[in-house]
Amino acid sequence: VESSASYEYLPSPTISSTFPSSLPHPRTIQWEMIEIIGENFVDSSSLKCKLQNEIKLDSHDNIITELTADALYLSPNLIRCVIATEMDKLKQWGKKVDVSVTTNGLDWSKNHEIQLLAPHRVLSLYPKSGPQSGGSIIHVQGENFSSRSTLACRFGEDVVVGEYRSINGVLCNSPENWINTK
């Protein structure tokens, strides 16, 4: 008896890194996707990624929360997962989350760990004013700043790169202000 069904052996997908390497809290910054770098990704309708974390209630009980999303195949070494609309499913911001990939919808890769960043909050600035020519070093004090994320300061419409100093501090150089100058 002949059959037209076939089975294909494929190497297991592996994850070597992600971009971003840590995920900012959705209240902090809007983002939509995570790129996963690895090996043995295949262009398949079953290609998916999963983010999962475990909440320990006590020494006997745990709750596992997970987010599964379709993945876009870019190459055997790169896929992109759209996850922004699902981020409320994950808990424990400030903790680590496991990322895994499937190419057949059933068998998942070994986990790759990334950090879920806690939301940061600005508490104060010093100095609170400076010259229109810019160049003032502004000390931003707050909570939950991370050296793993891109930090920026906004001065009206201008955005400048921030320099991480500690979990409670960031430095920014004020830009030149062209408003009110002639």
Side-chain angles (χ1 to χ4, degrees), residues 7-12:
Y7 182 85
E8 183 178 8
Y9 288 94
L10 296 172
S12 297

Side-chain angles (χ1 to χ4, degrees), residues 10-11 13 40-42 44-48 101-107:
L10 296 172
N40 305 321
F41 301 139
V42 295
S44 158
S45 62
S46 298
L47 184 62
K48 297 189 182 310
V101 172
T102 183
T103 57
N104 67 5
L106 296 173
D107 301 309

